[in-house]
Amino acid sequence: MKSCPSIASTTIERSEAMPSYKLYYFNARGRAEHSRLLFAMAGVEYQDVRYTREQWPVEKASGRFPFGQLPCLHVNGVMLAQSNAIARYLANEFGMAGKNNLEKAKVDMIVDAIDDLAQAMVKFFHEKDEQKKAEAKDEFKTKTVPILYGALERLLIANDGGDGFFVGEEPTLADFAFVTNGDYVKKFNPEVLDNYPKLKALQERVFELPRIAEWVKKRPVTEM
Amino acid sequence: MRGGGHLTIDLIRTINRVKFTGSREHTSNVLSVATMPSYKLYYFNLRARAEPSRLILAAAGVDYEDVRIKRENWPAEKASGKFPLGQMPCLEVDGVMLAQSNAIARYLANEHGLAGKNNMEKARADMIVDTMGDLSPHLVKIIKEQDETKKDELKKEFTSKTLPACNTSLEKLLIQNNGGDGYFVGSELTWADLVFVNHVQRPLPGPSSVDAFPKLKALYEKVIALPKISEWIEKRPKTDIYETVLTHSDDVNWALPMFCGIVTGPVIQLSSVRSYSDKTLLQFSSRLYAVTKPLAAY
């Protein structure tokens, strides 16, 4: 411990204590929003960089983004890629990943299951063939979502009755991933949560958390 | 939990684990006698999505029950409700059923000092694993494609474009770590290296896929030569003939055409396919091999 801090060392200590975060993505919720919710919940400042469709090709060509993909998180001189690697890193840093390895595994399980759902959505979203698209959308609504949401409802209930959060007693990345993805599911299936009362209550509970509510109010409104 | 007769072995293993692997939770010289949890890993008789966990357990020198469910038994098992997401792999530990292959692998890695030393290293490992995971949708698409011509096109695109692009990213990631002559993350083996081994050993197209990537190739050869890993590779069930067949779906309608595509090339095509058990696949494979072997002489 330095015994006689000068202004210079105080400044250094301060910036060492608070890493500076830069989150890069498009102007959308998409694959960055669960990270943004983590920042909001933790009350941690970050630069919320959003590239337009025109800006991205230029940025991509610059080579700043090692794998030509977004989102990326720049922290402590390192550029992290992969949306869930980023989110999990932030969750771990902010104590919202689960309190021990088993809890973390439960959080991961839920986040990955929700990711599978997102993949299914992306699939029919990009399907060009109208017939195939309609079939895929139908399968999504009548099979994929009910199977996953049924499982999530059971997992939630298994956590002490299901009137809190997915894992442990506090919000974790699992809850933020769920509500972020839920926004998209709602577009195709507005009343889906009526069949899953505990999930529905969880979603409301998350959006009522003061810091989350505040973020949702002030964030850019985007279609995706 | 195993009975008293095995307690001594557990104790010795625990001592070894604490002393030699330097688990981050035990930095003092006092040995905490944590009893070893009992693990039950459930999957099909395949490498695919369970093999990273098996490699992690092998590297850690940890015993587990390696349950391999037969395809024809899967529908009943699934219906039993035992598997929380109706899928495998699952890991049963401490009365909890964990699902999702990466969640399981990461849990085991964290428990046994193979995850990375701090949150940033863990994030790097995750990033590398997810880069390989990005290939899954492409593979599933290939497996599910019924039209043979389209399937061949997809396979060609995978081996000539998609996979090399992934390996290019992986080589970059490896080089980021101190020039790329060690492991993917930090200075020790992590689960990222083990997931990578499984990635290279995917039958489409197999280890030749890293020939064009010298650092990746060197890493692959280094890891499979590690004593505990080579021992496991040597003794594990040989499942190559099944490996092209699936992920976690219980839908085997696409199994045989894909399988035949690998074994016989364009020589024999089978059209309408229903469910096939492993036994049937084996019978087919030996019959087809008998037919194609003379053809190979031409």
Side-chain angles (χ1 to χ4, degrees), chain B residues 106-239:
Chain B
R106 191 179 301 105
Y107 168 75
L108 292 170
N110 272 319
E111 285 284 290
H112 300 286
L114 286 164
K117 302 249 165 298
N118 52 51
N119 287 338
M120 182 50 83
E121 283 198 358
K122 291 182 184 199
R124 263 190 63 82
D126 285 349
M127 175 169 66
I128 291 158
V129 168
D130 284 354
T131 300
M132 290 182 268
D134 281 349
L135 292 176
S136 290
H138 297 273
L139 285 167
V140 171
K141 211 165 148 197
I142 292 172
I143 289 173
K144 285 195 164 162
E145 181 57 64
Q146 304 271 28
D147 180 308
E148 283 302 319
T149 319
K150 261 217 182 128
K151 200 203 256 307
D152 278 338
E153 278 172 24
L154 288 172
K155 269 195 234 168
K156 238 201 284 184
E157 185 178 349
F158 181 80
T159 49
S160 64
K161 269 182 66 187
T162 321
L163 180 59
C166 175
N167 283 339
T168 303
S169 296
L170 290 176
E171 179 110 335
K172 234 186 200 163
L173 282 160
L174 180 57
I175 288 170
Q176 263 179 5
N177 190 24
N178 232 335
D181 297 312
Y183 296 104
F184 264 120
V185 178
S187 52
E188 287 167 23
L189 183 75
T190 65
W191 71 300
D193 305 297
L194 299 174
V195 174
F196 173 66
V197 164
N198 192 47
H199 159 85
V200 173
Q201 290 182 339
R202 257 198 258 257
L204 187 70
S208 63
S209 61
V210 288
D211 283 347
F213 302 93
K215 304 268 183 189
L216 291 183
K217 186 172 177 160
L219 174 65
Y220 173 67
E221 282 164 3
K222 174 162 63 196
V223 178
I224 60 171
L226 294 170
K228 291 192 179 126
I229 301 300
S230 73
E231 185 192 337
W232 166 247
I233 291 176
E234 176 70 42
K235 79 174 186 194
R236 71 186 173 189
K238 305 291 174 273
T239 53

Side-chain angles (χ1 to χ4, degrees), chain A residues 66-67 69 75-76 78-85 88-89 92-93 101-102 104-106 108-110 112-113 116 119 123 132 147-148 151-152 154-155, chain B residues 24-25 84-85 87 93-94 96-100 102-103 106-107 110-111 119-120 122-124 126-127 130-131 134 137 144 150 169-170 172-173 176 248:
Chain A
F67 311 103
Q69 289 178 333
V75 56
N76 292 346
V78 177
M79 198 62 124
L80 274 181
Q82 291 289 350
S83 59
N84 285 340
R88 192 176 300 104
Y89 169 75
N92 272 317
E93 288 283 292
N101 288 337
L102 194 57
K104 289 180 186 200
K106 289 180 185 173
D108 286 347
M109 170 168 79
I110 290 165
D112 284 355
D116 284 350
Q119 294 275 21
K123 225 173 75 171
K132 275 198 178 155
I147 289 174
L148 178 70
L152 289 180
R154 281 191 299 275
L155 284 170
Chain B
R24 61 273 88 54
E25 269 135 28
L85 297 172
Q87 293 172 342
V93 55
D94 288 350
V96 175
M97 236 352 194
L98 285 179
Q100 289 290 347
N102 281 346
R106 191 179 301 105
Y107 168 75
N110 272 319
E111 285 284 290
N119 287 338
M120 182 50 83
K122 291 182 184 199
R124 263 190 63 82
D126 285 349
M127 175 169 66
D130 284 354
T131 300
D134 281 349
K144 285 195 164 162
K150 261 217 182 128
S169 296
L170 290 176
K172 234 186 200 163
L173 282 160
Q176 263 179 5
H248 52 256

Side-chain angles (χ1 to χ4, degrees), chain B residues 60-73:
Chain B
V62 169
D63 276 345
Y64 67 105
E65 216 181 309
D66 185 14
V67 180
R68 293 167 185 249
I69 292 183
K70 290 194 160 76
R71 218 161 244 307
E72 54 260 33
N73 297 338

Side-chain angles (χ1 to χ4, degrees), chain A:
Chain A
M1 288 280 266
K2 293 200 171 124
S3 55
C4 199
S6 65
I7 293 172
S9 65
T10 308
T11 311
I12 290 166
E13 274 161 35
R14 222 195 356 245
S15 61
E16 265 173 1
M18 258 328 246
S20 72
Y21 296 106
K22 252 182 170 144
L23 180 67
Y24 298 88
Y25 194 52
F26 304 106
N27 185 25
R29 300 187 305 284
R31 289 186 177 280
E33 194 64 14
H34 54 340
S35 290
R36 296 192 187 111
L37 291 179
L38 285 166
F39 276 120
M41 190 68 198
V44 170
E45 297 273 314
Y46 68 109
Q47 237 182 298
D48 185 14
V49 181
R50 294 167 182 249
Y51 291 135
T52 61
R53 285 205 178 286
E54 295 75 41
Q55 282 174 312
W56 174 233
V58 179
E59 292 290 341
K60 184 172 174 172
S62 77
R64 278 204 309 156
F65 300 95
F67 311 103
Q69 289 178 333
L70 296 179
C72 273
L73 178 76
H74 188 262
V75 56
N76 292 346
V78 177
M79 198 62 124
L80 274 181
Q82 291 289 350
S83 59
N84 285 340
I86 292 168
R88 192 176 300 104
Y89 169 75
L90 294 170
N92 272 317
E93 288 283 292
F94 303 152
M96 290 173 209
K99 301 257 164 289
N100 53 52
N101 288 337
L102 194 57
E103 281 200 0
K104 289 180 186 200
K106 289 180 185 173
V107 169
D108 286 347
M109 170 168 79
I110 290 165
V111 170
D112 284 355
I114 290 169
D115 220 51
D116 284 350
L117 193 69
Q119 294 275 21
M121 248 192 294
V122 166
K123 225 173 75 171
F124 74 73
F125 199 72
H126 287 305
E127 180 59 66
K128 302 271 190 258
D129 181 304
E130 282 304 321
Q131 164 80 350
K132 275 198 178 155
K133 192 180 178 109
E135 281 171 13
K137 217 169 173 178
D138 188 67
E139 182 176 349
F140 182 77
K141 273 177 77 164
T142 58
K143 266 181 74 182
T144 320
V145 172
I147 289 174
L148 178 70
Y149 274 20
L152 289 180
E153 179 94 346
R154 281 191 299 275
L155 284 170
L156 181 55
I157 289 169
N159 188 24
D160 215 28
D163 297 312
F165 300 98
F166 269 122
V167 179
E169 292 163 16
E170 287 163 23
T172 64
L173 173 58
D175 307 292
F176 299 135
F178 171 66
V179 304
T180 305
N181 177 266
D183 271 348
Y184 298 107
V185 174
K186 259 193 294 195
K187 285 186 188 227
F188 302 106
N189 215 342
E191 284 100 35
V192 66
L193 282 184
D194 290 345
N195 300 324
Y196 308 99
K198 301 281 182 184
L199 288 180
K200 186 170 183 171
L202 170 68
Q203 186 176 252
E204 285 163 10
R205 192 173 305 124
V206 173
F207 282 125
E208 279 164 13
L209 294 165
R211 287 183 178 165
I212 300 296
E214 185 191 337
W215 164 248
V216 169
K217 242 188 8 207
K218 78 173 185 190
R219 72 183 172 189
V221 177
T222 54
E223 197 205 325
M224 292 299 283

